[in-house]
Amino acid sequence: MVRQAKAQRILTHDQIWAALDRLAARAGLSPSGLAKRAGLDPTTFNRSKRITADGRERWPSTESIAKALAAAGASIDSFAKLIDHDGAGDGRSVPLLGFAQAGMSGAFDEAGLPSGRGWTEIALPATEDGHTFALEISGNTLAPVYRDGDIVLVSPGAQIRKGDRVVVRSRAGEVTVATLKRRTAKVLELQPLDGTPAERAMAASDVAWIARILWASQ
């Protein structure tokens, strides 16, 4: 009698990195925040480090995973569940894109919802808006409010009020993160988060869409 062997599932590069993203989100951190808490270089888990310059997949080391688990107070068993996506019950996966790519043509549709290639997923706190998406900040132009590697959860459907932090995309493709100062039928007045003291005014006709930032991992 021939016994059929069970098919073995092989772990993929994307599964391991997604599990690390979920581990960071459960700890209320960005991937770079988790790396820093683990005593690693803050860029160790950043998305830019996951693929080499020549296009090869770069895997996290077992040492870095072990340090990340210790920093998050998690066990290897819980990490295995995160790989299977069973341990992310305190959140859900949302589309994720690097902030630098947010201004590219085709990244969003006319309604300001994720579209096209380049999007991955990350587990973040659940929201009532089923169209939420996440952007990963690159560089420190928005410091000290947001730093390199921080992830912001953006809701196209959330009500926006004066004083809210928002993401605004112009019809020309420019993406801005700012505090909403005033909004009328004709103009949008913003306070940039890059340290610039001067407010910025945009004609309403130049705005493709505006969405509220609900949460940030820092």
Side-chain angles (χ1 to χ4, degrees):
M1 178 177 179
V2 178
R3 180 177 298 174
Q4 291 185 337
K6 275 189 175 180
Q8 295 289 326
R9 287 197 306 165
I10 299 175
L11 290 179
T12 68
H13 174 265
D14 289 344
Q15 281 179 316
I16 294 296
W17 281 115
L20 277 168
D21 287 339
R22 294 177 189 122
L23 180 68
R26 284 183 53 173
L29 299 166
S30 65
S32 63
L34 177 62
K36 186 175 181 180
R37 180 182 289 185
L40 301 168
D41 183 293
T43 65
T44 300
F45 298 146
N46 281 13
R47 298 186 60 76
S48 59
K49 293 294 186 72
R50 303 179 186 186
I51 302 292
T52 64
D54 58 1
R56 292 182 296 109
E57 295 178 341
R58 177 180 284 144
W59 294 65
S61 68
T62 52
E63 179 183 11
S64 63
I65 292 176
K67 289 184 176 180
L69 290 174
S75 66
I76 188 65
D77 288 338
S78 64
F79 187 68
K81 291 180 180 179
L82 290 175
I83 292 174
D84 286 334
H85 208 173
D86 291 335
D90 52 346
R92 64 180 182 83
S93 291
V94 299
L96 170 69
L97 184 70
F99 185 77
Q101 286 75 51
M104 295 176 60
S105 176
F108 296 90
D109 63 19
E110 294 182 356
L113 303 180
S115 176
R117 299 180 178 181
W119 292 87
T120 56
E121 289 191 345
I122 187 171
L124 291 178
T127 68
E128 294 181 359
D129 182 3
H131 296 297
T132 52
F133 60 87
L135 296 175
E136 182 176 7
I137 304 300
S138 55
N140 290 305
T141 58
L142 299 178
V145 180
Y146 302 125
R147 294 181 171 83
D148 184 52
D150 286 346
I151 293 174
V152 295
L153 185 63
V154 184
S155 171
Q159 184 177 359
I160 301 173
R161 300 181 179 86
K162 177 181 177 181
D164 286 339
R165 290 176 180 167
V166 295
V167 177
V168 183
R169 178 167 168 144
S170 71
R171 296 194 182 279
E174 179 187 7
V175 178
T176 303
V177 180
T179 300
L180 179 64
K181 303 295 289 185
R182 189 167 74 101
R183 184 183 190 183
T184 69
K186 294 184 177 181
V187 70
L188 202 65
E189 294 182 0
L190 306 167
Q191 178 64 61
L193 300 183
D194 59 5
T196 304
E199 293 183 5
R200 177 182 179 185
M202 292 180 64
S205 58
D206 292 335
V207 177
W209 52 262
I210 178 173
R212 180 180 164 193
I213 295 176
L214 297 181
W215 176 89
S217 64
Q218 297 175 301

